[in-house]
Amino acid sequence: KLAVKLDHSNNGNNIIKSLPQIKDADYENNKLDIFRGIVASMISEFAGKTADEIFKLLEVSRNPELGDLTIALPRLRLSGDPINWVEKLIPNEYITEISQAGYYLNFRYSYPLLAKILLAHIYEKKENYGINQSGSGKSCVIDYSSPNIAKPFHAGHLRSTIIGNFVKNVHVANGWKAIGLNYLGDWGKQYGLLAIGFEKFGSEEELLKNPIKHLYDVYVKINASIEGNPDVDEKARAYFKKMEDGDETALALWRKFRELSIKKYMETYARLNIDFDVYSGESQISNESMMRALNILKEKNIAEESEGALIVDLTKYKLDVALLQKKDGTTLYLTRDIGAILERYEKYEFDAIYYAVSSQQELHFKQLFKILELMGIEWFDRCKHINFGMVKGMSTRKGTAVFLDDILEQTKESMHEVMRQNEKKYSQVDNPDYVADIIGISAIMIQDMSAKRIRNYSFDWTRMFSFEGDTGPYLQYAHARLCSIERNCGLEINPSANLDLLTEKSAIDLINMIAQYPDVIKSAKYTLEPCTIVTYIMKLCHIVSVTLETLYVMGTERQLAEARLLMYWAARITLGNALKLLGLKPLERM
Ligand code: ARG
């Protein structure tokens, strides 16, 4: 049954009356799917396969000289006489050219038509251009950032923050409900130690001024005084015991440390354009849920006693032996993570849960997920560790302990210096401090997201600030430049501009690249790699630069100027949306 209805009566123009129904096609959100659907349906008529199957085999052509869309014929697995495809398939108003090169069958879209459909769509969707609803009804939890109170916020936490936020945004962009969770390291004997330290070295005033830094200072001092002083250690243990037993005075101090730290973190996160739905932490996991899990593990003979401690032997799975409870009955990081995930499932009934944590904790998460599986939890396969490699050389100039705030200050200053090198431009920037902050943060984030997550990289203070090459400043500059065209051209965006006038190769390349954005959002959901998006926007920005060199808006005859302006506007919307997806704030001027 041919789903594409062609109307041959119209002077030989093949007009398509209704689109073929294809399972994976998202005609509403992805306008390239219209063209793919039509091609799939055309082929299916002769291939003895459904359009659904063929749709999956279509690829974006790697050689635009030959066409926009391609299919490798051997993948159709046809038997019988060879088909003369070029003769059988008749071009129509959507697909203007069909050709064969070796094993490949190539198709070319009608460009004025794609441009018209696409730009009307973007004009309607604006900041929602690119997203889809494929995950509607599904929900996920993302555990990310998760620093430890009174310890440095190190590069691993920064990566977790950036990558976790991205994973969250990508899910939202694919129609999921996403809950962002900050699981603070806020429990354990070291908080007893911190309290003891605060009595000795603390200052109420300093605490209010900069809680994170002050608590760290106190922690370092008290740690140093432990040496040769077993008394301090004993006191810390006793203090933490009081906390675990719910002693109100002990808990009040700890709560104050925690709340002040969270408040300060929230300010810094806001600067990074990030917020959390929930501030949780190891302290929030109830004893009851941990014990419930431990009992199941004991009953099922998965956990066993060993020298008074409770362990799970996972050597069979090459996952070592996991310790769940110490001799004195206290629990561990892993035990709390077991309790935490059970509580989270009870609360959210998530379809997926992600932990954005460095690959140094690979074993920890493998153990956690394996233990869930052994417990007989049927949703164990919804858990995923979003791992990433290390960053070398992220420290401030003074080389002191790393606080996120200091890194961001340093970045802003350095960016400011770079900006000052161009006196003329610098003098035109309204709010240089704000702009330096945003570009600086973009520099850090793009540097972090340019390669596969698992790769280690070195923090490069010089390279990441460059306006050339694949950097954050380059992307922000491209965005600001597109904004300035809109501001300065003296024309309004006209959604009914005559797009038939966009005939140059670079205009066609640009439209084609813009049209691929919904595909990229979809594939980012599978890779969960920020570089999927970064690579795309780099390509988009390169085409924008090339196009801007030859296709002017200003000084061009009005009709053509309006068509080009609409195209650049769509490029700006797409770039801005992609930057936001990565967690950046797109700049309008810089
Ligand atoms: N606080 C931990 C650390 O700094 C990271 C916590 C990650 N999340 C988790 N559920 N284990 O290493």
Side-chain angles (χ1 to χ4, degrees):
K1 156 178 139 257
L2 177 60
V4 187
K5 296 197 185 67
L6 295 177
D7 177 357
H8 297 270
S9 62
N10 190 351
N11 301 331
N13 274 335
N14 293 327
I15 309 285
I16 288 161
K17 288 283 182 56
S18 65
L19 294 171
Q21 288 210 349
I22 291 177
K23 199 170 137 279
D24 292 336
D26 183 356
Y27 296 135
E28 164 58 18
N29 298 302
N30 189 333
K31 297 304 170 190
L32 288 181
D33 278 1
I34 297 177
F35 295 79
R36 291 177 183 133
I38 289 166
V39 167
S41 162
M42 287 162 71
I43 297 175
S44 95
E45 194 187 345
F46 303 99
K49 289 213 160 32
T50 65
D52 282 352
E53 290 168 282
I54 293 165
F55 189 84
K56 290 195 187 70
L57 301 176
L58 295 172
E59 291 170 82
V60 173
S61 174
R62 253 170 268 156
N63 186 351
E65 301 294 309
L66 296 177
D68 299 306
L69 205 60
T70 189
I71 186 164
L73 288 168
R75 299 189 67 187
L76 290 174
R77 297 179 190 284
L78 296 177
S79 48
D81 291 339
I83 296 172
N84 185 343
W85 289 102
V86 175
E87 196 171 275
K88 286 261 194 271
L89 302 178
I90 301 156
N92 53 57
E93 59 160 348
Y94 286 80
I95 304 298
T96 55
E97 253 176 74
I98 300 158
S99 61
Q100 186 167 354
Y103 290 128
Y104 291 93
L105 200 53
N106 299 305
F107 302 84
R108 196 178 295 287
Y109 312 140
S110 155
Y111 269 97
L113 190 58
L114 173 60
K116 279 176 215 170
I117 295 174
L118 179 70
L119 297 191
H121 173 65
I122 297 177
Y123 192 79
E124 184 198 320
K125 295 283 171 178
K126 301 201 171 66
E127 54 285 336
N128 287 324
Y129 171 57
I131 68 175
N132 66 70
Q133 295 305 324
S134 60
S136 105
K138 290 194 196 166
S139 71
C140 65
V141 170
I142 302 110
D143 175 323
Y144 66 114
S145 197
S146 307
N148 305 318
I149 288 174
K151 294 217 190 126
F153 188 108
H154 55 64
H157 296 122
L158 179 60
R159 290 210 80 184
S160 169
T161 310
I162 294 172
I163 293 169
N165 183 54
F166 168 76
V167 170
K168 183 177 173 203
N169 291 346
V170 162
H171 278 78
V172 172
N174 281 279
W176 287 60
K177 178 169 188 270
I179 296 129
L181 216 143
N182 197 329
Y183 182 70
L184 298 167
D186 58 358
W187 202 241
K189 198 184 80 185
Q190 68 261 37
Y191 296 98
L193 188 62
L194 186 66
I196 305 287
F198 195 75
E199 278 164 23
K200 271 181 119 160
F201 308 110
S203 138
E204 199 68 25
E205 198 192 327
E206 291 295 315
L207 180 69
L208 291 178
K209 225 195 282 164
N210 193 343
I212 291 174
K213 180 148 182 357
H214 184 57
L215 290 178
Y216 177 68
D217 287 344
V218 168
Y219 189 70
V220 169
K221 281 188 192 153
I222 190 72
N223 249 311
S225 76
I226 286 190
E227 210 113 334
N229 197 350
D231 201 37
V232 176
D233 195 51
E234 198 34 59
K235 272 194 192 156
R237 190 188 302 276
Y239 197 99
F240 181 57
K241 180 92 173 71
K242 276 204 283 182
M243 285 166 64
E244 285 225 290
D245 293 344
D247 179 294
E248 230 348 275
T249 338
L251 282 178
L253 184 64
W254 163 83
R255 207 175 288 125
K256 181 154 129 194
F257 292 164
R258 184 179 192 269
E259 273 159 19
L260 288 170
S261 300
I262 290 179
K263 200 167 143 245
K264 180 74 193 163
Y265 272 130
M266 282 167 102
E267 284 167 32
T268 311
Y269 287 133
R271 200 166 161 186
L272 284 171
N273 207 13
I274 280 169
D275 62 49
F276 290 89
D277 299 294
V278 183
Y279 280 85
S280 175
E282 293 179 43
S283 66
Q284 309 297 301
I285 308 313
S286 81
N287 231 31
E288 200 258 307
S289 51
M290 285 189 278
M291 291 313 139
R292 206 168 356 124
L294 293 188
N295 284 336
I296 297 177
L297 287 165
K298 281 190 240 171
E299 272 163 31
K300 297 202 167 192
N301 282 328
I302 299 159
E304 54 192 283
E305 299 233 338
S306 164
E307 294 168 34
L310 193 65
I311 61 160
V312 178
D313 185 351
L314 298 170
T315 45
K316 257 214 298 249
Y317 310 102
K318 296 202 170 69
L319 295 175
D320 284 0
V321 175
L323 181 58
L324 292 182
Q325 202 174 22
K326 289 199 228 164
K327 260 196 288 236
D328 62 3
T330 51
T331 56
L332 292 100
Y333 179 52
L334 179 60
T335 331
R336 290 192 277 274
D337 255 331
I338 298 173
I341 197 169
L342 298 175
E343 288 183 8
R344 289 170 192 179
Y345 190 76
E346 242 162 56
K347 189 153 176 203
Y348 303 112
E349 282 185 49
F350 49 74
D351 297 279
I353 184 166
Y354 302 97
Y355 295 85
V357 185
S358 115
S359 54
Q360 286 166 316
Q361 295 193 26
E362 198 83 64
L363 180 64
H364 170 78
F365 287 105
K366 283 195 171 139
Q367 290 180 334
L368 172 63
F369 304 157
K370 185 48 101 185
I371 289 171
L372 295 175
E373 182 184 350
L374 295 174
M375 280 173 76
I377 290 200
E378 81 274 13
W379 46 264
F380 78 93
D381 57 352
R382 299 185 191 181
C383 313
K384 192 170 164 66
H385 176 201
I386 306 288
N387 57 4
F388 50 81
M390 306 217 298
V391 190
K392 279 170 247 154
M394 189 186 96
S395 58
T396 55
R397 270 184 203 163
K398 289 164 220 124
T400 45
V402 175
F403 296 101
L404 180 56
D405 246 7
D406 296 338
I407 290 289
L408 297 185
E409 270 318 295
Q410 171 98 72
T411 309
K412 182 168 86 178
E413 264 171 44
S414 305
M415 195 64 235
H416 217 139
E417 273 166 35
V418 174
M419 283 163 63
R420 276 202 198 93
Q421 284 161 16
N422 189 337
E423 267 310 321
K424 192 166 158 252
K425 259 221 183 116
Y426 183 76
S427 64
Q428 292 164 1
V429 179
D430 275 346
N431 191 347
D433 209 53
Y434 173 80
V435 170
D437 196 37
I438 303 283
I439 310 178
I441 287 168
S442 309
I444 292 183
M445 291 178 60
I446 293 298
Q447 166 174 260
D448 193 276
M449 298 192 282
S450 296
K452 287 261 171 69
R453 293 187 321 254
I454 200 68
R455 293 249 310 261
N456 303 333
Y457 72 87
S458 302
F459 214 76
D460 187 335
W461 288 101
T462 315
R463 216 198 81 84
M464 72 178 184
F465 290 136
S466 166
F467 282 83
E468 277 144 46
D470 294 345
T471 65
Y474 169 76
L475 294 174
Q476 288 285 13
Y477 177 68
H479 187 268
R481 204 169 154 205
L482 289 168
C483 289
S484 93
I485 293 176
E486 289 168 35
R487 273 197 308 273
N488 299 329
C489 69
L491 294 171
E492 293 288 312
I493 306 293
N494 177 3
S496 33
N498 180 2
L499 300 171
D500 290 328
L501 302 172
L502 299 176
T503 53
E504 298 85 356
K505 181 178 177 311
S506 72
I508 288 173
D509 287 347
L510 181 53
I511 302 268
N512 200 1
M513 191 51 75
I514 295 171
Q516 285 172 39
Y517 184 51
D519 280 353
V520 177
I521 288 194
K522 225 166 126 188
S523 69
K525 162 70 184 64
Y526 291 97
T527 62
L528 296 179
E529 290 280 359
C531 69
T532 303
I533 304 286
V534 175
T535 308
Y536 169 76
I537 45 180
M538 290 297 170
K539 281 196 262 175
L540 177 65
C541 287
H542 289 309
I543 297 182
V544 166
S545 317
V546 171
T547 312
L548 283 174
E549 266 164 40
T550 50
L551 306 185
Y552 304 131
V553 176
M554 274 187 277
T556 302
E557 167 277 316
R558 177 157 187 141
Q559 275 212 332
L560 183 57
E562 281 187 347
R564 287 178 182 173
L565 178 62
L566 187 61
M567 167 181 80
Y568 288 130
W569 172 85
R572 194 264 294 172
I573 294 286
T574 308
L575 175 57
N577 290 357
L579 289 173
K580 282 185 248 168
L581 184 67
L582 292 171
L584 272 61
K585 289 184 191 156
L587 278 172
E588 289 178 14
R589 294 168 197 259
M590 64 187 261

